[in-house]
Amino acid sequence: MGDTQEAAGERLLQTLRSMKAYDPAGDYYALTLGANRRGGLAWSAQTHWVGFSERNPRWEIRAACLVDPEFIRKAWTAMKQDWVSVHDDAGLAVYLRLGGNALVGRQVAEDRLSSVIAPKECVHDGSAESGGFGYLVTQHLPDDSVERRAPTRKLRMQVLKRDGFRCVVCGRRASDHTDIELHLHHLVPWRMAGPTAEENLVTLCGTCHKGLDPDFEPALRELAGLPGPAAGLDMDNAEFDEEVTRCRALAGEVLAQRQVP
């Protein structure tokens, strides 16, 4: 058993060493793996525009694109973000436990992560107004989310219950204050093609809603505990670091469960 464990440890060390090497002329996708505030895995990728959504012409179809690995490496290094390179299944297995940034070889990505790099309907996450360039995937949303500006009664109640029937800014509830009128606010504004869906709606009282200027305020995501960027630009990488930490904790929990007899 000791020899077997030692051999496994050596293989792991070899894999980890290889994950800092890459071919500057190779074909890579730039992928990031984290976990959002609800504990769900969150993939992102360097993407390019490939068309428009049939459901809503304002929404883009975007797919992961091959990148210049040297340029991406320098960008991640400048932002003081850790990164790895993935060339085979062994490296991919380690990366799925570590999360974070990775230069993933074309063959591995196309064979093992086809759903991650595939074309998807996307809408700007709102950070475009603050100088950013993020996108939210919308492919899973019902058609009704792009056709209706006002939420249905069922969706309204769903969001109110999620937020504890309180304004996420001031914390007041209608049950405690007779003057409170609860509204639902689009995090990515309707004028910017923001969908009428639970992950894009948050509960505000009438006072806070009317005083919200500008109408795009990314920090409301964090107050409501919702997935997605909590700031227009993650200048200090705090959001990225938290997502990676959550991802590693989640991977640790899964591994611990598998080891339980």
Side-chain angles (χ1 to χ4, degrees):
M1 180 64 72
D3 291 342
T4 301
Q5 290 179 334
E6 185 175 341
E10 182 59 32
R11 286 196 299 270
L12 177 58
L13 285 175
Q14 290 176 356
T15 298
L16 290 172
R17 292 189 194 104
S18 72
M19 293 176 72
K20 277 300 182 182
Y22 66 94
D23 178 3
D27 289 336
Y28 293 90
Y29 291 96
L31 305 182
T32 299
L33 173 61
N36 60 40
R37 283 183 286 274
R38 286 188 167 182
L41 291 180
W43 285 97
S44 62
Q46 295 288 325
T47 63
H48 68 301
W49 176 85
V50 295
F52 287 115
S53 165
E54 292 183 2
R55 293 191 297 167
N56 186 341
R58 295 178 298 175
W59 290 3
E60 295 184 15
I61 305 293
R62 302 187 71 83
C65 58
L66 295 174
V67 299
D68 176 347
E70 183 65 11
F71 176 83
I72 296 297
R73 181 196 65 79
K74 287 180 178 179
W76 285 337
T77 301
M79 291 187 291
K80 298 182 179 179
Q81 292 185 1
D82 197 14
W83 62 275
V84 296
S85 60
V86 177
H87 306 93
D88 51 31
D89 287 353
L92 179 61
V94 173
Y95 171 55
L96 292 177
R97 298 181 191 181
L98 295 176
N101 294 319
L103 289 168
V104 181
R106 180 175 187 170
Q107 199 61 54
V108 176
E110 294 178 354
D111 288 347
R112 304 298 187 189
L113 301 174
S114 58
S115 62
V116 176
I117 63 176
K120 296 179 179 65
E121 290 182 344
C122 295
V123 61
H124 280 286
D125 65 12
S127 62
E129 290 212 338
S130 299
F133 43 82
Y135 291 88
L136 295 175
V137 176
T138 61
Q139 198 162 325
H140 63 291
L141 298 179
D143 290 344
D144 194 43
S145 68
V146 303
E147 297 167 355
R148 293 178 60 105
R149 179 170 187 172
T152 63
R153 286 179 290 182
K154 182 177 180 180
L155 178 58
R156 173 179 165 80
M157 187 57 62
Q158 189 175 325
V159 176
L160 290 175
K161 287 179 68 175
R162 182 202 69 200
D163 293 341
F165 298 95
R166 64 176 179 82
C167 172
V168 302
V169 174
C170 68
R172 296 198 298 168
R173 306 171 189 266
S175 59
D176 299 328
H177 303 271
T178 57
D179 65 319
I180 291 296
E181 181 180 282
L182 294 179
H183 300 179
L184 296 192
H185 170 68
H186 286 75
L187 289 163
V188 178
W190 177 260
R191 63 180 173 79
M192 294 168 57
T196 304
E198 183 186 349
E199 60 247 59
N200 194 47
L201 294 171
V202 67
T203 305
L204 297 179
C205 69
T207 301
C208 290
H209 199 189
K210 292 173 184 175
L212 192 63
D213 184 24
D215 56 353
F216 167 61
E217 178 46 72
L220 293 178
R221 285 193 180 280
E222 189 169 15
L223 290 175
L226 289 172
L233 283 176
D234 189 14
M235 298 302 290
D236 60 359
N237 298 323
E239 184 80 12
F240 170 81
D241 292 340
E242 288 177 12
E243 288 191 352
V244 174
T245 299
R246 285 192 293 261
C247 180
R248 291 175 180 173
L250 184 63
E253 292 173 6
V254 172
L255 288 173
Q257 291 172 0
R258 290 180 178 177
Q259 294 172 1
V260 173

